[in-house]
Amino acid sequence: GKDGSGKLFCVANLCPHIGTPMSEGADVIGDVIVCPLHGSSFKVTTGELIDWCPTPFIIGPLTGFVVERKNLAVFEVRSSFFGGDIEVLVDTNAK
């Protein structure tokens, strides 16, 4: 994706909370990506957790309480030299 300033970023597709696909409606606000299900938010540059399961009221925080808080995986990304492709560095040994 692109952040609010147009800079490319690449994060893991699955939210670390319960595996909701970020590609299914996550919002990008500036340099923050927000999970579409429970609203967990992360910095797109570092994956740092900003807010954990704030929505919906009561249910989101309850589900967040039983799952360990985790950062979102971030991958190195760049435009190709000729500009038409996007290249992502993926560690195939990552677990």
Side-chain angles (χ1 to χ4, degrees):
K2 290 186 178 181
D3 67 13
S5 66
K7 185 177 177 187
L8 284 174
F9 71 87
C10 183
V11 297
N13 186 42
L14 300 181
C15 178
H17 174 223
I18 58 172
T20 301
M22 299 295 262
S23 59
E24 300 289 326
D27 287 324
V28 177
I29 304 164
D31 66 346
V32 174
I33 190 165
V34 181
C35 176
L37 187 60
H38 293 121
S40 294
S41 56
F42 308 87
K43 288 194 62 85
V44 298
T45 52
T46 63
E48 175 187 1
L49 173 65
I50 296 170
D51 200 3
W52 189 248
C53 306
T55 61
F57 182 69
I58 298 176
I59 295 170
L62 283 176
T63 63
F65 183 72
V66 297
V67 178
E68 178 186 353
R69 294 172 180 241
K70 298 178 186 168
N71 291 333
L72 185 63
V74 174
F75 302 97
E76 189 176 331
V77 63
R78 67 180 183 191
S79 292
S80 66
F81 183 74
F82 296 105
D85 297 318
I86 295 173
E87 300 171 345
V88 178
L89 178 61
V90 178
D91 183 357
T92 57
N93 296 315
K95 302 246 184 245

